[in-house]
Amino acid sequence: MGISNQVVFSCRKVVQSTREAIVTLQKRNPAIQPLLAILQAGEDDSMLEINKKMAVKIGLNITQICLAKECNEDDIVEELLKLNDDPKVHGIYLHLPRGSITSRVLNTLKPEKDIEGISDLNMGRLIRGDLSKGFVPPLASAVLDLLENHDAPLEGKTVLLVGGEGPLQLAVQCLIERSGMVTLKSHWSSKTLQAQVMQADAVVLLDVGNMYVPPTWIRPGAAIIYSKPALEKGIALYIVLTAAYRTQNVVRSCSRWLKGQEYRPWHLRSLKLQPLTPVPSDLEISRAQIPKPVDQLAEEIGLLPEELEAYGRSKAKVRLSVLERLQSQPNGKYILVAGITPTPLGEGKSTVTVGLVQALSAHLKLNSFACLRQPSQGPTFGVKGGAAGGGYAQVIPMEEFNLHLTGDIHAITAANNLVAAAIDARMLHEATQSDKALFNRLVPSVNGVRKFSPIQISRLQRLGIRKTDPASLTPEEINAFVRLDLDPSKITWQRVVDTNDRFLRKITVGQASSEKGQIRETGFDIAVASEIMAILALADSLEDMKNRLARMVVGTSCSGQPITAEDLGVSGALAVLMKDAIKPTLMQTLEGTPVFVHAGPFANIAHGNSSVLADKLALKLVGQDGFVVTEAGFGADIGMEKFFNIKCRASGLRPSVVVLVATVRALKMHGGGPNVSAGAPLPREYTDENLSLVAGGCCSNLKKQIQIAHLFGVPVVVAVNVFKTDTQAEIDLVCQIAKDCGASDALPCNHWAQGGRGSSELAQAVKEAASKPSDFQFLYNTEMPIVEKIRTIAQRVYGADDIELSPEAKSKTDYYHQQGYGSLPICMAKTHLSLSHMPDKKGAPTGFVLPIRDVRASIGAGFIYPLVGTMSTMPGLPTRPCFYDIDLDPVTEEITGLF
């Protein structure tokens, strides 16, 4: 077969196989379309035209970026960076002058899109023989094809490479030798070139230029291949074959990209722990463990590099595009950690959560993810301290976890206070301007053109005004449009700050003379009590968050109509402030297992759970046999009840198991033990064995919390968080009573002192409980009247005889029904220190009537929240806050005193 016929035959074969590969790709994903990007300098030439025709013939899409002929290195790099980041581009062809393809350009080109195979990484892969990720240069593939299809077999024969110093010669040499041929190299200037050519079984001429090899030099039967155009019947055959292999590389790149979008099995490398006795401080333990780089952790758990936004070395935001990529991936098992009614002695839910995932991943070798709330700065500098866990079950670095993290709470503060500023500014302007002046300022003429913004058109539509031309509005319509007419006494929106500051609970604003007498009383909440925090925790997409922000009701007009953030025109700006906060933050435990930290609503004044999005992302990433462990704030009667009735309704997710955390010390208090004060020595009842108090707490509070979980049809595993003062008899008693009360299992946990190894038995029990079917059900139907939903929670969860609504609360429920909010779930704002409304009533109180002082609505978040008793949304600082012990070494920059 002549060389021309060989080229034609090979072209047809490559074209056919590449077309078949595209068909296979589109069976896997009908929307996929391989895209070749051509980066060129100057006009098209004949070589480029052949490549474009070949790409179209095979079925590729093409995009051309034409730079000026005199473009410089910076111009090329700028365009390459754009193409690297474009997920629709699968291959990049650099059709540039040789001098323009510098080392910087090659290092900029993403190896996964380097279909020419010329980047340093891809050339190294070729030399090493690893072609699973790299690409063979198309010209080298064409040369090898022609050699392998020569009339006489060339295996074991000698091939002479002439010219072509650099990557091309190296690539051709590697391919030829790997095919069983022997290579020799020569230069055009070599004095022995003729002799070498005459002795070779095949000759490959690289970079021919104006050079020529006389036919008399070629021995009979030897193959001669020109790597430059050999025009025959108007067709540059070698270019055509090279172009065919180039398109094949594009399709191969597309196939790899598509495979890369699939679920990736984990290859988690656990970090080893060496627990010390006695156990050092939390900060010392955290600082002694070096976390893995966050990009390494992300790769281990199947995240793609483009799905990560690093914030330093040890934490990163994760993009929500993961949900779309893994949408067909089944969810893992969903585990909720809740607790008995909290006491000043502490229960350690966060510690149990972290210890459990360390046990599942590092010791049972099961994929697991912890999903935790971001701690508020209020408790961190107030009384409670941080929330990273403790001992050898922590999220690290704990300083970063407990302080600013990635700034989500600051974003919430900024967004919340922008709404507050918009409210007061709007009331001022409405009070001091005519309708015409307001309209002219709200819809200004810009370059002689006046038009409504999209958010203003939305307001017009809600008012029933179907007009888009500002000039067409009647005076009555202008009045309705420009006047929100907020009633100052019915504004429900307050400013926030993430600090415990009791003196901001009630303030007066507008006292400056420039505010023209617009004085009113208002107050501050702590930032995590903001409705925007609740929205962040319940939204399931950026669009959902934007819509929820728009629906937030900030007050009522003088005519009784609810006024929303969208009415204020501020909801789009809020979404902009929150666009990064919606992405969960990836961190790790002391044993290198993954953690999502996201959102942080309090459980006594909000719903008290980490975000829906963090849970959904984690459930996809762990795989069908993995576990996602998330935590509900405070006791099961508060955080767990809201997790089920609010969060699970919003997310559509269903839990497999509840892990109920208890401590011997806390159970003793619920069993009748004396009260304790922060910082004071513990009474002997808590340090000495006292089985009577333990039994009393188990048979009251622990039993009741197990029953509450069973109301929702979810199995319960009790985790006894062990302290050094606990005796074996006390621990055994708790476990036995828990099982007698209906727990699937009950086990002691020593993760605080031992890390994940100390919770291995708990992890095994959770695994077994999760393998059994659950019969999850909601406590109430949301279509029930608001009062009946409140009564259901009070009686069945808290154990109340009934509820008693104040006149104001009754009026509010009627108003919410009238406004169409009656079908929202209930989020009780109640003390976390008792099942009742009385903080000093421990155990499981009965025979009480639950007083409902007020009823408010978070329409954006999507719940009604009754206020039980005197609940404050702004904590205060104690006599001796935690900040007394927190300090910074100015030389080493090390923090001390955090816990």
Side-chain angles (χ1 to χ4, degrees):
M1 185 188 296
I3 193 72
S4 298
N5 290 334
Q6 285 184 36
V7 173
V8 173
F9 174 78
S10 293
C11 277
R12 287 174 178 169
K13 187 173 64 173
V14 175
V15 167
Q16 181 63 28
S17 66
T18 305
R19 283 175 171 168
E20 290 172 356
I22 293 177
V23 171
T24 301
L25 282 177
Q26 292 176 337
K27 284 180 180 178
R28 290 165 57 192
N29 184 346
I32 199 72
Q33 186 63 49
L35 176 61
L36 169 64
I38 301 173
L39 183 59
Q40 67 186 87
E43 301 296 324
D44 288 6
D45 55 23
S46 58
M47 185 180 296
L48 188 57
E49 286 298 329
I50 290 173
N51 276 276
K52 288 164 62 178
K53 287 178 181 178
M54 178 61 71
V56 172
K57 180 178 181 180
I58 285 177
L60 270 61
N61 285 346
I62 300 173
T63 181
Q64 269 184 277
I65 297 91
C66 301
L67 299 176
K69 195 170 185 178
E70 61 277 5
C71 65
N72 58 35
E73 188 180 61
D74 289 340
D75 297 331
I76 297 171
V77 167
E78 182 181 348
E79 293 299 333
L80 270 182
L81 290 172
K82 294 176 186 175
L83 294 172
N84 284 345
D85 291 339
D86 187 345
K88 297 188 293 294
V89 172
H90 301 108
I92 301 172
Y93 173 29
L94 300 180
H95 190 69
L96 301 168
R98 178 173 298 179
S100 298
I101 304 177
T102 62
S103 294
R104 181 184 170 207
V105 168
L106 288 178
N107 289 331
T108 301
L109 177 60
K110 198 172 185 178
E112 293 86 349
K113 299 186 180 185
D114 169 30
I115 56 164
E116 295 300 296
I118 55 176
S119 65
D120 292 347
L121 180 57
N122 280 334
M123 191 57 65
R125 286 167 172 163
L126 177 63
I127 293 170
R128 197 172 63 243
D130 176 15
L131 297 180
S132 61
K133 294 182 180 179
F135 297 97
V136 177
L139 183 57
S141 293
V143 168
L144 183 65
D145 188 323
L146 296 177
L147 285 173
E148 290 179 335
N149 288 287
H150 184 58
D151 291 336
L154 289 175
E155 186 174 354
K157 302 294 179 63
T158 301
V159 178
L160 177 65
L161 306 180
V162 182
E165 291 292 335
L168 177 59
Q169 185 192 77
L170 190 59
V172 172
Q173 180 183 347
C174 285
L175 292 177
I176 291 174
E177 291 179 350
R178 201 166 290 133
S179 297
M181 299 174 234
V182 178
T183 58
L184 297 175
K185 292 184 286 185
S186 186
H187 302 284
W188 288 105
S189 58
S190 173
K191 295 179 180 179
T192 60
L193 178 60
Q194 180 177 354
Q196 290 175 306
V197 170
M198 295 181 72
Q199 292 173 7
D201 299 299
V203 180
V204 178
L205 305 178
L206 304 170
D207 293 335
V208 180
N210 296 319
M211 305 305 293
Y212 175 69
V213 174
T216 56
W217 288 14
I218 310 298
R219 60 187 286 187
I224 181 165
I225 297 172
Y226 291 82
S227 67
K228 288 293 183 181
L231 293 176
E232 185 174 314
K233 296 181 181 179
I235 301 174
L237 293 176
Y238 290 112
I239 296 180
V240 173
L241 183 56
T242 301
Y245 274 109
R246 184 170 287 116
T247 59
Q248 188 179 73
N249 279 353
V250 176
V251 175
R252 186 170 288 129
S253 172
C254 181
S255 178
R256 290 173 183 169
W257 178 85
L258 191 59
K259 185 171 181 59
Q261 300 302 300
E262 298 172 357
Y263 178 79
R264 298 183 175 192
W266 284 23
H267 301 284
L268 189 69
R269 179 182 66 85
S270 301
L271 299 178
K272 295 190 181 301
L273 278 185
Q274 295 180 328
L276 301 177
T277 304
V279 176
S281 72
D282 293 349
L283 190 54
E284 288 173 318
I285 293 172
S286 172
R287 199 167 282 155
Q289 184 72 292
I290 299 176
K292 292 179 284 191
V294 71
D295 55 347
Q296 178 188 326
L297 173 64
E299 183 180 3
E300 291 175 355
I301 61 174
L303 286 167
L304 306 180
E306 59 267 26
E307 292 168 341
L308 213 64
E309 297 176 3
Y311 280 65
R313 182 183 182 276
S314 53
K315 58 185 183 292
K317 288 283 191 182
V318 174
R319 294 181 177 173
L320 305 186
S321 57
V322 178
L323 288 173
E324 182 179 355
R325 176 170 68 86
L326 300 179
Q327 58 184 329
S328 61
Q329 170 68 21
N331 286 341
K333 303 292 185 181
Y334 198 25
I335 313 301
L336 175 68
V337 176
I340 62 172
T341 302
T343 68
L345 295 168
E347 288 63 57
K349 292 191 305 298
S350 298
T351 310
V352 171
T353 300
V354 175
L356 177 55
V357 294
Q358 289 181 183
L360 286 165
S361 289
H363 298 273
L364 271 62
K365 304 304 178 184
L366 299 168
N367 294 353
S368 74
F369 233 112
C371 291
L372 299 176
R373 290 175 294 166
Q374 180 183 351
S376 164
Q377 189 174 287
T380 299
F381 292 99
V383 177
K384 179 179 177 288
Y392 286 101
Q394 289 188 58
V395 180
I396 57 172
M398 68 94 77
E399 305 103 304
E400 295 182 23
F401 180 93
N402 283 321
L403 296 175
H404 306 280
L405 200 62
T406 48
D408 293 357
I409 293 180
H410 299 313
I412 289 166
T413 301
N416 184 100
N417 293 344
L418 180 60
V419 176
I423 291 169
D424 287 317
R426 186 60 176 262
M427 289 196 299
L428 168 68
H429 296 313
E430 288 189 21
T432 57
Q433 297 181 52
S434 66
D435 288 357
K436 182 178 179 181
L438 277 170
F439 189 68
N440 287 339
R441 288 184 171 91
L442 287 170
V443 193
S445 176
V446 180
N447 297 324
V449 178
R450 174 179 286 183
K451 64 179 182 178
F452 294 115
S453 68
I455 202 167
Q456 290 176 326
I457 291 175
S458 295
R459 171 159 170 77
L460 287 169
Q461 290 173 346
R462 288 195 305 280
L463 292 170
I465 302 171
R466 308 298 176 187
K467 297 178 180 178
T468 57
D469 180 7
S472 66
L473 266 63
T474 66
E476 292 77 14
E477 290 171 337
I478 289 175
N479 175 268
F481 172 72
V482 302
R483 301 273 170 198
L484 299 181
D485 199 22
L486 274 160
D487 184 341
S489 67
K490 293 184 178 178
I491 293 172
T492 56
W493 197 265
Q494 302 210 115
R495 289 168 171 81
V496 299
V497 62
D498 197 36
T499 303
N500 291 357
D501 192 344
R502 65 178 71 245
F503 284 89
L504 293 178
R505 289 171 179 167
K506 191 172 186 178
I507 63 169
T508 303
V509 296
Q511 296 190 73
S513 59
S514 56
E515 274 48 78
K516 303 178 182 179
Q518 297 297 308
I519 298 172
R520 69 181 183 92
E521 283 190 349
T522 181
F524 273 76
D525 297 329
I526 194 163
V528 291
S530 169
E531 183 176 356
I532 297 176
M533 174 62 88
I535 287 173
L536 178 67
L538 291 170
D540 66 3
S541 67
L542 187 58
E543 182 180 10
D544 182 38
M545 181 182 72
K546 183 179 177 182
N547 292 336
R548 287 172 179 267
L549 291 169
R551 292 197 300 267
M552 293 188 305
V553 173
V554 302
T556 306
S557 70
C558 292
S559 62
Q561 294 303 308
I563 303 299
T564 67
E566 190 171 33
D567 289 323
L568 282 168
V570 75
S571 56
L574 301 182
V576 170
L577 285 170
M578 294 294 294
K579 72 179 181 64
D580 292 320
I582 197 172
K583 303 165 192 171
T585 300
L586 177 66
M587 296 188 76
Q588 63 193 281
T589 68
L590 279 166
E591 297 193 55
T593 67
V595 178
F596 273 141
V597 187
H598 201 214
F602 281 176
N604 54 351
I605 52 181
H607 70 285
N609 293 276
S610 65
S611 77
V612 166
L613 281 169
D615 291 357
K616 285 189 170 184
L617 283 166
L619 284 164
K620 294 298 183 186
L621 287 168
V622 296
Q624 191 168 9
D625 299 321
F627 294 82
V628 172
V629 184
T630 190
E631 175 195 343
F634 295 128
D637 57 303
I638 295 185
M640 184 186 73
E641 180 270 315
K642 295 173 183 177
F643 174 88
F644 290 145
N645 281 322
I646 298 175
K647 186 176 179 180
C648 288
R649 286 185 202 271
S651 68
L653 300 174
R654 301 293 180 261
S656 304
V657 179
V658 167
V659 175
L660 189 64
V661 180
T663 63
V664 168
R665 300 192 310 179
L667 287 169
K668 285 179 177 179
M669 180 172 284
H670 285 296
N675 290 329
V676 296
S677 301
L682 288 177
R684 290 187 58 186
E685 287 87 346
Y686 299 108
T687 57
D688 296 345
E689 184 176 285
N690 193 318
L691 298 178
S692 175
L693 288 178
V694 171
C698 288
C699 294
S700 57
N701 197 269
L702 179 61
K703 179 180 179 180
K704 177 63 176 175
Q705 303 288 16
I706 293 172
Q707 290 172 344
I708 294 170
H710 287 163
L711 288 174
F712 298 90
V714 184
V716 178
V717 174
V718 171
V720 183
N721 192 13
V722 174
F723 283 72
K724 62 183 179 181
T725 54
D726 302 344
T727 69
Q728 191 60 49
E730 290 173 330
I731 294 169
D732 292 343
L733 182 61
V734 174
C735 293
Q736 185 57 55
I737 294 176
K739 287 185 273 191
D740 291 344
C741 292
S744 300
D745 209 341
L747 302 113
C749 305
N750 292 284
H751 43 266
W752 183 80
Q754 300 174 13
R757 182 167 57 86
S759 283
S760 294
E761 291 185 2
L762 173 65
Q764 189 62 47
V766 168
K767 178 187 174 185
E768 292 175 7
S771 66
K772 300 172 184 175
S774 64
D775 186 25
F776 178 78
Q777 59 189 5
F778 294 115
L779 184 65
Y780 53 78
N781 187 320
T782 53
E783 297 304 318
M784 292 168 57
I786 293 174
V787 173
E788 289 308 309
K789 286 183 282 194
I790 298 171
R791 181 175 283 113
T792 299
I793 296 172
Q795 292 178 334
R796 301 192 66 190
V797 176
Y798 306 152
D801 285 349
D802 203 353
I803 61 173
E804 181 179 15
L805 274 70
S806 70
E808 183 178 8
K810 180 67 173 67
S811 173
K812 290 281 189 68
T813 58
D814 293 341
Y815 173 75
Y816 295 141
H817 275 297
Q818 176 190 343
Q819 293 298 327
Y821 305 146
S823 61
L824 294 177
I826 302 300
C827 182
M828 301 290 282
K830 181 187 78 71
T831 179
H832 57 287
L833 298 173
S834 173
L835 281 160
S836 72
H837 59 289
M838 301 166 282
D840 57 329
K841 298 293 184 184
K842 305 301 180 185
T846 57
F848 62 93
V849 175
L850 194 72
I852 308 300
R853 176 173 59 87
D854 194 5
V855 178
R856 298 176 186 171
S858 291
I859 304 304
F863 52 70
I864 303 290
Y865 64 102
L867 275 66
V868 180
T870 54
M871 283 298 303
S872 173
T873 52
M874 170 55 84
L877 289 172
T879 304
R880 193 184 190 282
C882 297
F883 61 63
Y884 274 89
D885 301 310
I886 297 172
D887 203 355
L888 178 72
D889 187 317
V891 177
T892 65
E893 297 187 11
E894 286 193 346
I895 297 169
T896 58
L898 275 178
F899 68 95

